[in-house]
Amino acid sequence: MNAWLTIPSAWSAEILAHTGFDALTIDMQHGLADYDTAVTMLQAISTTDTVPLVRVPWNEPVAIMRILDAGAYGIIGPMINNRAEVEAFVGACRYPPAGYRSYGPIRANVYAGDDYFDHANDTVLSLAMIETSEALDNLDDILSVEGLDGIYVGTIDLSISMGLPDHGNLDNPKLKRAIEKILASTEKHNLIAGIHASSPESAAMLSNWGFRLITPVIDSSVLQTAATGILEQTRGSLK
């Protein structure tokens, strides 16, 4: 169970970290947090045992290495389309000889301990986003790259790339077949599959399909939905 953090706030990150989620993902691609704020959010998450993940803005080595040095324990890389891109992504997440990550875990050494370097290649998660038709065509090439831990399906971008009108609708037969293909390949390569869920019922369905990292909560959506519901109930109770 994972929650998605789009609000640039250490306080909201700390609140969600204390609710019992297994992981929290700071979204630096479409969320509002910059690097400085993301560091404070990582510090807030580390008041618990919740695993801190970050979706980086792009498949760019400097951004990946820097947020790992700040203490992220997993990176979600957006728009991974082919073998070369996933090799570059995984390489940025791994110290030599498994990759080309530069040494300098300035906060990670404090958060994880002085032996961080000894275990980093085995403990840091690398999750490639599958969200384009090109990635679907290159699926086995992408998932066979050594050092990749799993994938995260971006259903909306995937449906846009496939030319589907109802973006992210899991009832669309074409999108469902694409997801089935992704899950089959993920299982074949013994990797983790992650995805967003729109409701607890959707999360249960996706778990039954084979997803093992499920995000049923986005902080801004929960805040908006809860506030709207309370406002409507309050107005309805007034004369």
Side-chain angles (χ1 to χ4, degrees):
M1 290 291 102
N2 175 59
W4 208 256
L5 305 181
T6 65
I7 299 171
S9 167
W11 172 228
S12 58
E14 186 175 14
I15 291 172
L16 282 172
H18 281 269
T19 60
F21 281 96
D22 301 300
L24 296 182
T25 298
I26 301 170
D27 186 0
M28 297 184 71
Q29 184 189 21
H30 296 301
L32 302 179
D34 60 12
Y35 175 80
D36 290 345
T37 305
V39 171
T40 67
M41 295 168 74
L42 289 169
Q43 291 171 317
I45 295 168
S46 67
T47 61
T48 70
D49 292 330
T50 305
V51 178
L53 308 177
V54 174
R55 178 165 73 170
V56 290
W58 203 247
N59 185 16
E60 199 280 316
V62 173
I64 293 169
M65 294 183 199
R66 198 172 184 214
I67 204 67
L68 285 174
D69 289 343
Y73 253 53
I75 301 295
I76 298 176
M79 292 289 178
I80 304 294
N81 293 311
N82 53 54
R83 187 177 185 88
E85 290 179 0
V86 77
E87 286 176 342
F89 169 61
V90 171
C93 295
R94 303 279 181 256
Y95 290 117
Y100 59 91
R101 180 183 173 188
S102 174
Y103 181 81
I106 183 166
R107 179 177 176 267
N109 260 353
V110 175
Y111 174 43
D114 291 336
D115 62 346
Y116 171 79
F117 174 80
D118 298 332
H119 306 288
N121 282 357
D122 297 322
T123 54
V124 168
L125 288 171
S126 58
L127 303 172
M129 290 205 72
I130 304 299
E131 49 188 345
T132 66
S133 294
E134 182 182 354
L136 277 180
D137 293 338
N138 297 318
L139 201 54
D140 276 332
D141 268 355
I142 291 172
L143 299 190
S144 64
V145 170
E146 187 175 355
L148 183 68
D149 295 299
I151 57 93
Y152 202 98
V153 179
T155 54
I156 293 180
D157 276 314
L158 181 56
S159 60
I160 291 172
S161 178
M162 294 172 65
L164 303 179
D166 42 355
H167 301 156
N169 181 5
L170 298 179
D171 291 327
N172 186 293
K174 290 184 179 180
L175 182 59
K176 188 174 180 180
R177 283 196 296 269
I179 291 175
E180 288 171 349
K181 177 182 178 181
I182 293 168
L183 284 169
S185 187
T186 303
E187 183 177 357
K188 171 185 171 184
H189 293 282
N190 194 29
L191 300 179
I192 302 162
I195 196 169
H196 276 54
S198 58
S199 66
E201 294 76 19
S202 171
M205 177 187 72
L206 292 165
S207 177
N208 290 333
W209 285 7
F211 284 97
R212 293 292 172 263
L213 176 63
I214 298 174
T215 304
V217 164
I218 301 174
D219 55 1
S220 52
S221 298
V222 167
L223 178 61
Q224 183 178 26
T225 299
T228 300
I230 292 171
L231 178 60
E232 289 177 349
Q233 291 177 27
T234 304
R235 280 179 170 162
S237 67
L238 300 177
K239 292 181 180 180

